[in-house]
């Protein structure tokens, strides 16, 4: 089925979606034993954080860096395992942002550099990896990434070290538990379930099959999706769980084909979804069933493997995904695209069409997070997150009369001159709540046959609210 065009609706700059709900972005627990170990680790970390009134500092986060020393931005994310594409996606953001910051003179006499911290997509592996990061990384100034694979287990640890973090998770505990050093620019999974259902409504689908990975992050989409489909009057034909460690999904593919859905709503990272698409095509007379994905599907690696599995033309004409609204023109986008594309061919692990990172959630929002942190360092005259952290919100949200600026290079001289600024990056304006959570509006994305992301519409807050509750 050919994708139908949506009628784009321009969102208001300050518009906010409904209050966040449960979210577990990209979290996969691995084995049950790993979950048990991670839960124990999280509990211990929470106790540590509570008993230390925000935690004890280490040399990596509290000591002032020596003159001219490089500041490190750590990308805490999976670089191996089924979610291995996430780490390089965020690393591309880090390379792009730090290259632009360094080209503009750096921060307080310091250049910035990036470091990969592989969590393997498993909370039990993430805890020692993060502990080792703090033990071995001098001049650590910021953490990015921290997906739902590991955020529940490592965010309390990072917070206890008084280290600022911009995380790509939306787990429900972060909606209601205040970690002073935690910041988030991505939406909750619950709202993505609503957004996928809105896409199904817009395309006129009446029958939907669900196919989500057996990881915690993917499974949390299911309950709100089932409820939203029911409220929308759309029939759920089947609900299939995909084992991310499996190499074939013949049984699940057969069940989906036999249920005769109009489309499939899915998130199963790694090779799972592409394998499923291929086997559905084999069992469905050589045709794939239209696909509605989450924002995790906006990834060069996902497109490359999916197009290889079923054909670029067929996949691109039968695929839609929700994504956060991001700018595609103007000064913020121009600075972002220049910075990111300058790193093409330089980012370890990055594969596929590099331009896809211009629309990938991590590509946009972590870039904004790093700029906010760097500008906050200049405003506070400190590289210590305990000092510069509060200025992240001031620079992102602005104050009355603040000068709007669109890149580190444009904002930094104003901040140095003592002027109030409001940074608006490619992810649009921020509006942080008391939990340091700021999310924007949804857009609807497709791919061209060459793998470029194409925006075909937006989803309004009213459309999301109509499916909530």
């Amino acid at each position: 089925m050919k994708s139908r065009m949506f009628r784009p609706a321009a969102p208001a700059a300050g518009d906010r979606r409904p209050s966040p709900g449960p979210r577990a972005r990209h979290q996969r627990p691995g084995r049950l034993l790993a979950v048990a170990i991670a839960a124990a680790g999280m509990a211990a970390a929470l106790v540590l954080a509570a008993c230390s009134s925000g935690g004890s500092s280490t040399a990596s986060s509290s000591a002032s860096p020596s003159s001219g020393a490089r500041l490190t931005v750590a990308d805490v994310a999976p670089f191996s395992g089924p979610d291995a594409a996430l780490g390089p996606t965020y690393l591309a953001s880090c390379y792009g942002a730090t290259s632009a910051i360094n080209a503009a003179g750096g921060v307080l006499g310091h250049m910035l550099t990036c470091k990969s911290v592989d969590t393997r997509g498993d909370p039990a592996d993430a805890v020692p990896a993060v502990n080792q990061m703090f033990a071995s990384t001098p001049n650590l100034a910021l953490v990015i990434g921290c997906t739902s694979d590991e955020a529940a287990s490592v965010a309390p640890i990072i917070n206890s070290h008084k280290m600022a973090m911009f995380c790509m998770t939306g787990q429900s505990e972060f909606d209601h538990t205040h970690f002073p050093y935690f910041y988030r620019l991505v939406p909750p999974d619950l709202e993505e379930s609503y957004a996928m259902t809105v896409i199904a409504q817009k395309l006129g689908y009446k029958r939907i099959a669900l196919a989500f990975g057996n990881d915690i992050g993917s499974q949390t989409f299911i309950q709100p999706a089932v409820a939203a489909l029911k409220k929308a009057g759309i029939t759920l034909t089947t609900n299939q769980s995909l084992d991310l460690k499996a190499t074939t999904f013949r049984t699940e593919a057969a069940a989906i084909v036999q249920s005769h859905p109009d489309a499939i709503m899915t998130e199963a990272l790694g090779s799972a979804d592409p394998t499923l698409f291929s086997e559905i095509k084999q069992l469905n007379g050589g045709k794939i069933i239209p696909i509605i994905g989450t924002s995790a599907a906006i990834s060069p690696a996902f497109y490359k493997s999916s197009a290889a599995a079923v054909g670029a033309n067929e996949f691109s004409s039968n695929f839609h995904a929700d994504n956060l609204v991001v700018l595609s023109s103007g000064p913020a986008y121009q600075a972002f695209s220049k910075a990111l594309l300058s790193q093409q061919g330089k980012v370890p692990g990055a594969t596929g069409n590099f331009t896809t990172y211009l629309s990938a959630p991590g590509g946009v929002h972590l870039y904004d997070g790093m700029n906010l942190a760097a500008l906050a360092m200049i405003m506070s005259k400190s590289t210590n997150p305990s000092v510069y952290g509060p200025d992240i919100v001031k620079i992102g949200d602005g104050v009355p009369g603040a000068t709007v600026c669109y890149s580190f290079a444009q904002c930094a001289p104003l901040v140095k001159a003592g002027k109030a600024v409001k940074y608006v990056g490619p992810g649009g304006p921020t509006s942080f709540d008391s939990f340091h959570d700021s999310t924007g509006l949804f857009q609807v994305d497709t791919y061209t046959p060459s793998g470029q992301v194409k925006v075909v519409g937006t989803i309004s807050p009213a459309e999301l609210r109509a499916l909530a509750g």
Side-chain angles (χ1 to χ4, degrees):
M1 176 182 293
K2 289 286 185 182
S3 62
R4 306 173 196 166
M5 292 298 292
F6 291 85
R7 181 173 64 192
D15 207 351
R16 291 292 308 275
R17 297 196 315 280
S19 61
R23 175 175 172 83
R25 194 84 196 102
H26 299 150
Q27 182 170 357
R28 53 179 306 274
R31 301 164 301 281
L32 290 175
L33 176 61
V35 175
I37 294 173
M42 180 181 181
L46 285 167
V47 170
L48 174 61
C51 293
S52 59
S53 300
S56 58
S57 299
T58 66
S60 62
S61 61
S62 63
S64 298
S66 57
S67 177
R70 285 184 174 267
L71 304 178
T72 298
V73 179
D75 177 5
V76 175
F79 285 84
S80 58
D83 293 353
L86 298 178
T89 298
Y90 308 155
L91 195 62
S93 301
C94 191
Y95 274 43
T98 56
S99 69
I101 292 169
N102 291 342
V107 175
L108 303 177
H110 304 283
M111 299 291 105
L112 276 66
T113 189
C114 302
K115 176 177 181 174
S116 303
V117 179
D118 185 9
T119 66
R120 302 181 182 178
D122 192 312
D125 292 324
V127 169
V130 166
N131 285 331
Q132 177 61 26
M133 172 191 74
F134 279 109
S136 63
T137 310
N139 305 325
L140 180 63
L142 180 67
V143 168
I144 64 169
C146 34
T147 75
S148 294
D149 280 336
E150 63 278 324
S153 59
V154 304
I157 298 173
I158 297 170
N159 190 74
S160 74
H161 283 273
K162 299 183 179 181
M163 178 53 57
M165 59 188 126
F166 277 87
C167 291
M168 292 297 293
T169 180
Q171 292 160 280
S172 59
E173 58 260 48
F174 298 112
D175 299 338
H176 310 292
T177 302
H178 181 57
F179 290 101
Y181 296 90
F182 176 90
Y183 299 85
R184 179 169 59 178
L185 300 174
V186 292
D189 285 340
L190 176 143
E191 291 190 10
E192 284 212 63
S193 294
Y194 298 162
M196 286 189 286
T197 304
V198 172
I199 294 173
Q201 288 178 308
K202 288 177 178 287
L203 291 171
Y205 297 143
K206 302 298 183 184
R207 296 171 59 83
I208 294 291
L210 301 184
F212 286 89
N214 65 344
D215 55 302
I216 292 176
S218 297
Q219 286 287 302
T220 55
F221 288 107
I222 296 174
Q223 192 59 40
V226 170
L229 289 170
K230 182 177 180 180
K231 195 159 188 178
I234 297 174
T235 299
L236 173 61
T237 65
T238 186
N239 180 5
Q240 298 295 317
S241 180
L242 308 180
D243 183 351
L244 298 187
K245 295 179 289 185
T247 57
T248 180
F249 301 101
R250 196 81 174 178
T251 300
E252 293 85 354
I256 291 171
V257 171
Q258 291 166 10
S259 73
H260 303 292
D262 297 328
I264 304 163
M265 286 168 47
T266 185
E267 177 183 285
L269 302 183
S271 62
D273 258 342
T275 301
L276 176 70
F277 302 156
S278 176
E279 292 177 338
I280 286 175
K281 182 176 181 178
Q282 295 169 22
L283 296 172
N284 195 42
K287 297 180 180 179
I288 68 171
I289 296 172
I291 300 155
I292 301 174
T294 69
S295 59
I298 305 304
S299 155
F302 179 84
Y303 177 81
K304 181 179 180 181
S305 56
S306 297
V310 299
N313 287 328
E314 189 166 9
F315 178 72
S316 60
S317 63
N318 285 280
F319 174 83
H320 293 83
D322 69 79
N323 198 5
L324 280 181
V325 169
V326 296
L327 302 180
S328 57
S329 62
Y333 176 78
Q334 290 168 3
F336 168 58
S337 60
K338 179 181 178 181
L340 196 68
L341 294 179
S342 72
Q343 301 305 303
Q344 187 165 358
K346 302 177 183 179
V347 182
T351 62
N353 189 331
F354 198 81
T355 64
T356 305
Y357 290 129
L358 295 173
S359 300
V364 178
H365 300 292
L366 293 180
Y367 167 89
D368 282 345
M370 283 179 278
N371 281 339
L372 285 169
L375 291 169
M377 293 178 200
I378 295 175
M379 176 179 282
S380 66
K381 298 181 174 59
S382 174
T383 61
N384 188 326
S386 296
V387 180
Y388 78 70
D391 289 330
I392 289 175
V393 175
K394 293 178 185 177
I395 292 172
D397 292 357
V399 297
T403 301
V404 177
C405 50
Y406 303 97
S407 67
F408 178 85
Q410 183 187 14
C411 296
L414 298 173
V415 176
K416 290 176 183 177
K419 297 183 180 297
V421 303
K422 176 179 175 63
Y423 168 81
V424 178
T430 65
S431 181
F432 286 104
D433 62 19
S434 61
F435 299 100
H436 293 166
D437 183 24
S438 174
T439 59
L441 301 172
F442 280 110
Q443 66 187 30
V444 184
D445 289 351
T446 61
Y447 283 110
T448 67
S450 65
Q452 291 184 313
V453 177
K454 181 179 179 181
V455 180
V456 295
T458 57
I459 298 172
S460 71
E463 289 174 311
L464 295 175
R465 283 195 296 269
L467 298 173

